[in-house]
């Protein structure tokens, strides 16, 4: 343990600090804190949107943090507990216990848990959690801490909620906060917190910390109130672990806080507490706590060892071991009973309970509440303390009674924080290149910037796996329930400092392949018999080496030309395909782009048509080119349409363009051949003249009806006639109701939501489009669809063809020129310019023993093995699931080879090969040690999103929860060191699984809010299906940055904060991005100077929320913020819509939707609640 | 009186009418025994320099079933201001405008010299002429270029306010919008799918939608012309546009792989053209002018597949019932033709290709609507260019020699009924008391629609004498026929031309010689030929020939003078003497003989035969042959192989071809270059003379004949050799032992043999 710890400390601490601080801060007043976060993940800290028992978090974190610190020692002691991170906070019992707790006020759900635990001691519970928290850094776990916390939060919210006017709000908040605190025991909490510093001491510390926190905040800013909100947390503090409250007292919090306080304002607290990683500063204090906690927190059992990454984990372990046993139980028991009253209900109930505590906040989600929380926030800090829980127990006990109510909650800072994890990884792995030579290496997280050196395995930019260590047998795989999947992005764009795949030309005979399985030559092929033959690494078949390819072997059995041949030394490379790889054995023509513009009334009136035409004039100079070739080989064509189609002849020899109208939409055909697809430079004048005239020609149109299927047919026929592949860019505005094939009717029916028929909303209303898509794929016709709907237009149906042809859909609802033009144009530019392959076929070959069985993404499959893509661009990702069909061996590992045959933008036929070697294991622990949660989430999201096509959404959600519970339960059962059942123990690599999974469950597709349209859901569903890991990561857990923490003079970004309202401060500005939108959230109390600098207006009230871009102002703050936004924009495949959200403005509802750790309006659980729920599920499985 | 010959000529000059019989047998029975039916050739718009139209409405008989026009044959009571209809004997009041009428102050229509009179009437608003070009783009580059130039040229010939439209087709059909600035627009249709009239209407409505500004106007009535004006624009407005558009016309861009024909959607293109006019300009004068360079190869109306290895149907295939597409295609074009006719529009077909272009299937389009049919080898020939130019030729008043949307109504006195008509017309199905039950040609009606006609368009109209034998007509009784043609003059005026003629009745038993003398054998030959050709369209060739032969034999039996069973005693009177010869040539003509002609050629020949006036028709039946020699002025010579002499130049006019044939010696002289020597200037003149004469014919003929300049022994001489009576063949050359003429290598019987047979059969008591 100690070792681990050290390790952790080493890395984590140092770097983590920021993170921690971030956390703390966020936790606190959220005020400044938010800004702190940098790291994308807010690991544990993350606000717990969660489920019922949100509360827990805080507690957990702290515990975690503690562990790390103190853990060492504890660990040692605990050592026994290998369990990497688990938060065992709650002991199994929670459920049962539940009932009583309620009373416990704070934690409803949690209470139950508590109750169980409680019986023991709140502290115990807490302790556990705390411990775990620490581990988090390592792996871990949350503690079921359970809902309580969340509840508390809600409560707070409610209070806040009230806050109508800003000013008042403040006061209210303040009041609320105070009140809250007071009501729910906040006071104690608060105090406790203050004591937090003292954390170490445990209970005593609580108060201490609590106060401490507060003070810091206050000191830092007036905001203290904010802290107050945290206060809630406090309640929750303990919550972390159900018992947490007790834990609460948990010194951890205090401990952390203190440090942080010192260091930063609030940050320290939470952060410190949380993960082991705390900064040294925190560390110091914590240690004590940690120790304390560790002991208590069984969770600590730090398996740290196992989990290298998370240093922190180790500490926890100890803690875990130690504390859990004893204290937790106590804690739980203790608190629960009291608290509760809490209805048995876990998390959910918790909410309720929370509510009770603070007051009922109907919406939890209410990030709003959050605000209030701020005030109360201080409380949260306490949670950390819980970490200490272990130690706490005793202290808590003393305090518990009083505080119980509030503390039932889990401290959000104590549960695994995505921010923290991200930050840790960035610090640990961002500095050195990732060298792919070693089999089964887990790459850095997608959020980490790192350089890849290809030494025989494909870069993680091309392939990421859910696990880099595959169970040898299917039994193991089934037991673990960890899906084996690879997320493949064959044409991914590499950073400029990495070399793109080399192109290998083997001339006439073509690439060397295995005779039997047809795998392509790769570094893993074994040359034998002096190099005359090679043995296939996939199927073991021996194949003759063709004479022209023969080369002698050196003494190691390697070919002498090993380094000269990319296919022998690299993981990714390309072959030049021969004619036999082409359709009809004929080399393809260069592809074509066809722009198909809706010119119905809506499109013309909104100025869209003119905009597109203007843009195309310049955009056509930027068609994708290959390498250094001067001129793009891509030809272009133009079509406009409403109820009929208009084709244009823009042949260079014409004096003026010719328009050809086809009104026979029932039986589409292309009216011209020559002159439709032209070279841009040759026909420039004609094209320009055409683009000038299109808006004029239709300026007076009255036609409102449109067709759609015939448009695609036309494009496809045009490509067919030109005998080339290509891409259609369709700009469409309305439901195609004109009489034509593929005509649709409005079938939107919100009443279907949550019924068995909900799935029909995702299914196309006619099979026509599927058939059309099939034809398109056969022709290599990829469709990109830009939608500009003013009402329902059935994305589910219209999207079928783009989806199955590997195209993209872009949607601009209620398109308005002024606000959306920038976004649309940027998307269009990017879409036109991006690298793309056509008429592609992808096949994934694997070692004997596993087999690719399922595929997710935008493509079409006519058989079970070949993924056919009419087009594949650099952003499209295919997720492939593998299943065992035999045994694997640890010696030889498992190999994947993804071969993509495609036509480049210059019309060259190529094969891109990616190879990846994975380890195989006979021990489940190895599996869990080499998982990647982000990839797992990517897979699970895609799996779920496909599931909604055929199953009720609820079933899909349950399946997901169930699967995750099984994964975690399997770990707990087989890999974690023995510990109290009440502890939630999470594998280090999967400690974020609950929070991320919760985000998936709460997403619009699986749990739509009232304002989410059917089209939006269908759109998101398809969008997610081809996202890569980085995109799903930020999509489900948005990045939230405090803008006022921005360092104007450096390029580094402020630390991210967790997505919870309670992390937000009224006096601050925040930036939130999820890959689709960027929000700039402006607190009501933001300094005027900042407002002036950023918006160029003098006061908060004069900020226009309709801005779609930030004004260009000549001051360093404005420049910096804009450059950050620009940077984000450049990182995403789509231009994000910028939305300015003023606190308490109506748009804030929208914003809060993205605070994913909070309970959502649509019923999505907060993080804490969900964690508790998860814990319960796990325990059920274990029992 | 002059001779009947003069009488006939005079009547033709004045009324444009030639009757087979100029004295009519007075009973049905007798009439049927005359063999040649009572019929006439009517040239409704025969050019009459001396006929100024009158500017008022005709006066009509008030009996609803009659409505005959007041004419010189009517009895007029000047005092009572009454007139008696000479057809139904209804007594009618003169209209008020005729109050001043008296014996010395007669309106024109009562004067005998105005048996033909033309009224200009005001009916509705005048609509401009419409010309819709339907252009095949699957042509060779040169052909297309030539065609484009011809079309551009034609724009300058059109009256400025005429509406023009352009449809092009190849694999697709494009309807061009003509009023666009900056961009040329066209509507494109698949060539494989026919459009219903409704769809074309929708096209129009779409145009409306897209031309939003028009839609705003609530005036439904205004809308129609506005819409159509997108496709049909006044020449003066879009002259430049259209010229450019034509200039930019490209060959059909779709690749034609080896061994394939280009895909040509003639059927659909035509259908769209018809639909377009149908929807927007019904019953106004419009010409759809189809220019095609090959057979339709896809879609409705396809005549042959696109595989070059399957040749287009021949007569042989048709006889074997081996022409896969023929029936369907014919059906398609028939439907189109009938629709077009119903709307009063006409379709011209200009088909220029070396191979067949499907005229057989498409013929009805021109036949039923009065359109032109022109067949050439290429658009890049003067044959096409001049013919096309001549479509727009003008008369001495500077008006186009074309008229549109004519209705011909025939009224007869009671003893006569109408059996039918043969010519470029369709029935209007107007039943009436004067419609006979027995049909010849297009019958069952007394009104026909002739969608387009020119001054030479001639219809054959067949009558039936219905007077019963037992109800003799009083001595001196006259039968009357009135032809009323209402039409749209090319100046867009509506006009009515009324021709009223009367002929004496004669009792065939007692006055046969009168009837015999009044026989117009030329008219009769043409009328019989039209019947024969008409039958040939639907019957087997041999049946028609047999029918013709029987008719001829019967006629000879009836009117010949002979002793039974003594062929040598057989004689025919002068008025019948040429008739057998006509029949001989008719039997050999391409109208009835398909041998050596493609189905397209047959259709082409028959088309023209069914509409040309008597003179031209006769030339078609029996070509004219002139002989040029040093021995005197050019002289007509027998169309006989004996006329082919070495020292003569022959000029043959078959209507479709002008052949100049140099005799053997002449040809040698020419080769020796004598014509270039000053001392042989006379030879140069001799050579030049037939060229000049030919030029004269070429100048006036429509369509322009194929001009063949050939000489003895050349392959082109076959045009001459196939026409002349093969009096000398390889079979009888030595038997005759004559020094003159040149033998024809044929098994065809000569006129001599034919006559011998005829006599034998005529005098035979067996038949």
């Amino acid at each position: 343990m100690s070792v681990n710890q050290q390790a952790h400390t080493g890395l984590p601490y140092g770097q983590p600090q920021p993170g921690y601080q971030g956390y703390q801060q966020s936790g606190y007043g959220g005020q400044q804190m938010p800004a702190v976060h940098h790291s994308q993940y807010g690991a544990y800290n993350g606000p717990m949107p969660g489920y019922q028992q949100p509360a827990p978090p805080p507690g957990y974190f702290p515990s975690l943090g503690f562990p790390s610190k103190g853990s060492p020692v504890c660990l040692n002691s605990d050592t026994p507990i290998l369990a990497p991170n688990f938060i065992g906070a709650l002991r199994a019992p929670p459920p049962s216990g539940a009932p009583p707790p309620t009373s416990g006020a704070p934690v409803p759900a949690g209470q139950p848990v508590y109750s169980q635990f409680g019986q023991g001691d709140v502290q115990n519970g807490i302790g556990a959690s705390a411990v775990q928290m620490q581990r988090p850094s390592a792996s871990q776990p949350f503690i079921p801490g359970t809902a309580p916390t969340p509840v508390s939060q809600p409560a707070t919210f409610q209070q806040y909620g009230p806050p109508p006017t800003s000013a008042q709000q403040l006061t209210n908040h303040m009041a609320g906060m105070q009140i809250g605190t007071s009501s729910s025991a906040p006071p104690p909490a608060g105090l406790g917190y203050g004591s937090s510093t003292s954390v170490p001491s445990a209970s005593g510390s609580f108060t201490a910390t609590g106060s401490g926190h507060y003070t810091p905040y206050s000191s830092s800013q007036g905001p203290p109130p904010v802290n107050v909100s945290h206060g809630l947390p406090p309640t929750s503090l303990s919550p972390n672990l159900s018992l947490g409250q007790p834990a609460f007292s948990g010194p951890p919090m205090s401990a952390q806080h203190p440090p942080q306080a010192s260091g930063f304002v609030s940050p320290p607290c939470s952060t410190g507490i949380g993960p082991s990683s705390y900064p040294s500063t925190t560390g110091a204090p914590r240690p004590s706590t940690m120790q304390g906690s560790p002991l208590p927190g069984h969770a600590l059992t730090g398996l740290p060892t196992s989990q290298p990454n998370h240093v922190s984990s180790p500490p926890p372990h100890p803690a875990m071991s130690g504390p859990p046993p004893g204290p937790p139980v106590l804690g739980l028991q203790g608190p629960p009973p009291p608290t509760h009253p809490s209805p048995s209900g876990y998390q959910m109930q918790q909410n309720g309970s929370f509510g009770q505590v603070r007051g009922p906040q109907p919406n939890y989600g209410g990030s709003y509440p959050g605000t209030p929380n701020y005030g109360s926030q201080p409380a949260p800090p306490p949670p950390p303390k819980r970490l200490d829980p272990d130690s706490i127990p005793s202290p808590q006990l003393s305090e518990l009674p009083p505080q119980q109510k509030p503390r039932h909650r889990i401290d959000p800072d104590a549960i695994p924080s995505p921010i923290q994890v991200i930050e840790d990884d960035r610090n640990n792995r961002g500095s050195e290149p990732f060298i792919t030579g070693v089999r089964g290496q887990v790459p850095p997280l997608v959020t980490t910037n790192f350089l890849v050196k290809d030494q025989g395995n494909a870069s993680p930019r091309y392939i990421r796996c859910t696990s880099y260590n595959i169970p040898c047998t299917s039994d193991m795989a089934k037991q673990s329930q960890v899906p084996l999947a690879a997320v493949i992005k064959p044409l991914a764009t590499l950073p400029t400092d990495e070399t793109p795949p080399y192109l290998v030309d083997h001339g006439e005979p073509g690439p060397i392949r295995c005779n039997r399985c047809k795998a392509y030559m790769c570094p893993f092929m074994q040359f034998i018999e002096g190099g005359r033959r090679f043995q296939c690494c996939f199927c073991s078949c021996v194949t003759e080496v063709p004479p022209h390819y023969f080369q002698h072997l050196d003494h190691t059995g390697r070919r002498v030309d090993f380094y000269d041949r990319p296919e022998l030394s690299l993981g990714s490379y390309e072959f030049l395909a021969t004619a036999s790889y082409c359709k009809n054995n004929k080399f393809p023509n260069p592809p074509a782009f066809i722009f198909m513009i809706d010119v119905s009334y809506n499109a013309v009136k909104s100025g869209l048509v003119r905009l597109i035409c203007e843009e195309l004039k310049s955009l056509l100079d930027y068609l994708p080119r290959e390498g250094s070739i001067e001129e793009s080989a891509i030809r272009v064509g133009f079509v406009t349409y409403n109820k009929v189609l208009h084709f244009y002849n823009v042949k260079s020899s014409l004096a003026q363009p010719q328009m050809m109208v086809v009104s026979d939409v029932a039986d589409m055909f292309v009216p011209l051949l020559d002159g439709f697809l032209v070279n841009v430079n040759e026909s420039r004048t004609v094209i320009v003249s055409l683009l000038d005239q299109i808006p004029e020609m239709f300026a007076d149109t009255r036609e409102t009806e449109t067709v759609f299927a015939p448009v695609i047919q036309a494009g496809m026929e045009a490509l067919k006639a030109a005998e080339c592949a290509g891409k259609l860019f369709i700009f469409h505005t309305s439901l195609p109701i004109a009489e034509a094939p593929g005509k649709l009717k409005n079938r939107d029916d919100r009443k279907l939501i949550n019924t068995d028929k909900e799935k029909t909303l995702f299914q196309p209303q006619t099979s026509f489009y599927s058939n059309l898509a099939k034809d398109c794929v056969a022709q290599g016709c990829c469709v990109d669809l830009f939608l500009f709907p003013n009402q329902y237009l059935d994305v589910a149906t219209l999207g079928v063809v783009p989806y199955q042809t590997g195209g993209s859909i872009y949607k601009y609802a209620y398109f308005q020129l002024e606000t959306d033009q920038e976004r649309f144009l940027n998307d269009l530019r990017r879409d036109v310019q991006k690298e793309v392959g056509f008429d592609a076929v992808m096949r994934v070959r694997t070692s004997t023993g596993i087999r690719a069985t399922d595929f997710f993404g935008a493509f079409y499959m006519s058989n079970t093995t070949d993924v056919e893509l009419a087009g594949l661009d650099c952003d499209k990702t295919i997720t492939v699931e593998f299943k065992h069909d035999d045994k694997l061996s640890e010696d030889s590992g498992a190999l994947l080879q993804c071969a993509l045959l495609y036509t480049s933008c210059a019309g060259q036929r190529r094969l891109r090969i990616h190879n990846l070697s994975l380890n195989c294991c006979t021990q489940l622990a190895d599996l869990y040690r080499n998982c990647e949660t982000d990839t797992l989430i990517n897979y699970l999201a895609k799996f779920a999103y496909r599931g909604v096509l055929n199953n009720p959404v609820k079933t899909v959600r349950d399946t997901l929860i169930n699967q995750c519970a099984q994964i975690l339960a399997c770990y707990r059962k087989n890999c974690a060191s023995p510990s109290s059942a009440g502890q939630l123990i999470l594998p280090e690599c999967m400690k974020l699984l609950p929070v991320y999974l919760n985000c998936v469950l709460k997403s619009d597709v699986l749990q739509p809010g009232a304002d989410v349209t059917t089209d939006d859901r269908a759109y998101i569903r398809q969008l997610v299906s081809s996202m890569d890991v980085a995109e799903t990561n930020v999509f489900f857990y948005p990045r939230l940055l405090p803008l006022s923490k921005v360092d104007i003079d450096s390029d580094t970004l402020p630390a991210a904060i967790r997505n919870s309202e309670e992390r937000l401060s009224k006096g601050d500005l925040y930036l939130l991005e999820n890959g689709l939108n960027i929000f700039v959230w402006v607190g009501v109390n933001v300094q005027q100077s900042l407002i002036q600098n950023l918006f160029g207006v003098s006061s908060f009230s004069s900020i226009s929320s309709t801005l779609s871009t930030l004004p260009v102002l000549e001051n360093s703050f404005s420049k910096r913020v804009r450059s950050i936004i620009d940077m984000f924009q450049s990182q995403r495949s789509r231009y994000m819509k910028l939305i300015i959200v003023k606190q308490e403005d109506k748009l804030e509802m929208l914003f809060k939707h993205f605070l994913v750790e909070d309970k959502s309006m649509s019923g999505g659980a907060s993080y804490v609640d969900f964690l508790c729920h998860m814990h319960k599920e796990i325990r059920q499985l274990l029992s | 009186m002059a001779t009947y010959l003069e009488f006939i000529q005079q009547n033709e000059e004045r009324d444009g009418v030639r009757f087979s019989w100029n004295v009519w047998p007075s009973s049905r029975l007798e009439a049927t025994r005359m063999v040649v039916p009572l019929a006439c050739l009517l040239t409704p718009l025969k050019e009459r320099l001396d006929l100024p139209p009158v500017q008022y409405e005709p006066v009509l008989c008030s009996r609803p079933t009659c409505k005959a026009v007041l004419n010189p044959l009517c009895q007029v009571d000047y005092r009572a201001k009454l007139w008696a209809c000479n057809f139904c004997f209804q007594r009618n009041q003169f209209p008020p405008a005729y109050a001043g009428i008296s014996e010395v102050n007669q309106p024109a229509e009562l004067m005998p010299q105005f048996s033909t009179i033309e009224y200009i009437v005001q009916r509705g608003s005048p609509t401009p002429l419409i010309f819709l070009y339907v252009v095949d783009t699957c042509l060779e580059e040169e052909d297309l270029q030539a065609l484009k130039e011809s079309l551009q040229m034609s724009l300058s010939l059109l009256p400025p306010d005429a509406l023009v439209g352009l449809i092009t087709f190849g694999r697709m059909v494009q309807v061009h919008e003509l009023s666009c600035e900056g961009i040329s627009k066209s509507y494109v249709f698949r060539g494989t799918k026919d459009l219903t009239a409704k769809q074309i209407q929708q096209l129009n409505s779409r145009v409306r939608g897209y031309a939003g500004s028009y839609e705003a106007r609530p005036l439904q009535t205004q809308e129609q012309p506005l819409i159509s004006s997108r496709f049909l624009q006044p020449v003066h407005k879009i002259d430049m546009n259209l010229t450019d558009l034509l200039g930019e016309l490209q060959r059909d861009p779709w690749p034609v792989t080896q061994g394939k024909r280009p895909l040509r959607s003639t059927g659909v293109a035509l259908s769209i053209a018809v639909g377009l006019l149908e929807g927007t300009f019904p019953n106004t004068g419009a010409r759809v002018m189809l220019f095609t360079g090959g057979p339709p190869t896809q879609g409705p109306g396809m005549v042959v597949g696109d595989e070059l290895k399957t040749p287009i149907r021949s007569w042989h295939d048709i006889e074997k019932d081996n022409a896969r597409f023929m029936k369907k295609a014919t059906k398609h074009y028939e439907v189109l033709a009938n629709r077009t006719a119903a709307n009063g529009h006409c379709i011209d077909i200009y088909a220029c290709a070396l191979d067949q272009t499907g005229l057989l299937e498409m013929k009805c389009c021109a036949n039923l609507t009065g359109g032109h049919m022109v067949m050439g080898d290429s658009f890049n020939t003067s044959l096409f260019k001049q013919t096309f130019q001549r479509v727009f030729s003008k008369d001495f008043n500077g008006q186009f020699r074309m008229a549109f949307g004519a209705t011909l109504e025939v009224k007869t006195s009671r003893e006569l009924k109408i059996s039918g008509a043969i010519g470029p017309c369709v029935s209007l199905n107007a039943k009436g008391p004067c419609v006979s039950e027995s049909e010849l040609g297009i019958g069952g009606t007394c009104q026909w629609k002739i969608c387009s006609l020119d001054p030479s368009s001639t219809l054959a109209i067949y009558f039936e004498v219905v007077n019963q034998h037992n109800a003799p007509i009083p001595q001196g009784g006259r039968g009357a026929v009135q032809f009323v043609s209402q039409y749209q003059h090319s100046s867009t005026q509506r006009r009515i031309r009324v021709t009223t003629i009367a002929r004496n009745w004669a009792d065939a038993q007692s006055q046969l010689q009168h009837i015999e003398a009044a026989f117009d054998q030329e008219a009769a030959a043409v009328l019989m030929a039209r019947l024969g050709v008409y039958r040939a369209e639907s019957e087997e060739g041999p049946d028609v020939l047999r029918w013709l032969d029987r008719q001829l034999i019967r006629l000879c039996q009836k009117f010949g003078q002979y002793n039974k069973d003594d062929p040598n005693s057989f004689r025919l009177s002068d008025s019948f003497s040429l008739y057998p010869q006509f029949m001989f040539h008719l039997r050999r003509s391409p109208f009835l003989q398909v041998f050596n002609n493609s189905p397209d050629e047959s259709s082409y020949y028959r088309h023209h035969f069914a509409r040309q006036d008597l003179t031209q028709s006769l030339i078609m039946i029996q070509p004219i042959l002139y002989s040029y020699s040093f021995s005197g002025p050019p002289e007509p010579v027998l169309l006989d192989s004996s006329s082919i002499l070495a020292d003569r130049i022959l000029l043959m006019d078959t209507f479709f071809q002008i052949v100049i044939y140099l005799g053997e010696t002449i040809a040698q002289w020419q080769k020796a270059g004598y014509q270039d020597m000053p001392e042989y200037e006379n030879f140069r003149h001799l050579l030049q003379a037939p060229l000049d004469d030919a030029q004269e014919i070429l100048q006036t003929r429509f369509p322009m004949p194929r001009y063949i300049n050939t000489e003895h022994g050349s392959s082109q001489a076959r045009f001459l050799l196939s026409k002349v009576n093969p009096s000398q063949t390889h079979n009888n050359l030595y038997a005759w032992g004559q020094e003159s003429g040149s033998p024809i290598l044929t098994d065809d019987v000569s006129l001599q043999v034919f006559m011998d047979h005829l006599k034998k059969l005529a005098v035979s008591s067996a038949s």
Side-chain angles (χ1 to χ4, degrees), chain B residues 424-509:
Chain B
C425 59
V426 290
S427 162
L428 278 177
N429 277 322
K431 307 289 182 201
C434 52
V435 176
S436 161
E437 305 231 320
S438 64
E439 292 185 21
L440 283 176
I442 305 163
T445 178
C446 61
Q447 291 181 19
W448 295 268
K449 188 158 199 175
I450 315 164
C451 297
S452 166
L453 67 177
D454 56 46
S456 68
S457 300
T458 301
L459 281 78
I461 296 167
Y462 298 84
F463 300 95
E464 182 184 25
V465 178
V466 291
N467 195 40
Q468 293 303 313
H469 187 60
N470 50 10
I473 296 166
Q475 191 68 20
R478 298 200 327 167
V481 178
Q482 187 173 63
F483 304 100
V484 182
S485 322
Q486 306 192 33
Y487 67 97
Q488 180 188 343
H489 190 256
S490 61
S491 64
T492 76
Q493 292 164 331
R494 291 300 300 187
R495 294 192 180 189
I496 301 175
R497 186 184 280 215
V498 180
T499 298
T500 316
I501 55 102
R503 293 290 187 272
N504 290 327
W505 294 110
D507 180 2
Q509 282 175 322

Side-chain angles (χ1 to χ4, degrees), chain A residues 104-106 151-160 162 171-191 193 214 225-236 248 353-361 369-380 402-407 409:
Chain A
V151 177
S152 65
Q153 292 179 346
T156 15
F157 289 140
Q158 293 178 346
Q159 297 174 349
Y160 288 97
T171 54
N172 291 340
H173 292 303
M174 298 301 288
M177 314 269 310
Q178 298 174 350
I179 297 168
T181 45
S182 63
S183 70
S184 54
L191 296 176
Y193 296 113
Y214 288 96
V226 179
N227 297 334
V228 178
S229 65
H230 287 292
L232 295 181
T235 24
S236 54
F248 217 73
S353 58
F354 282 103
Q356 296 174 351
V357 175
R358 287 262 165 119
Q361 301 176 342
T371 359
N373 292 337
Y374 290 118
S376 59
Q377 287 185 354
Q403 295 181 350
Q404 285 180 353
K405 299 176 182 177
R407 311 212 168 165
R409 310 192 175 166

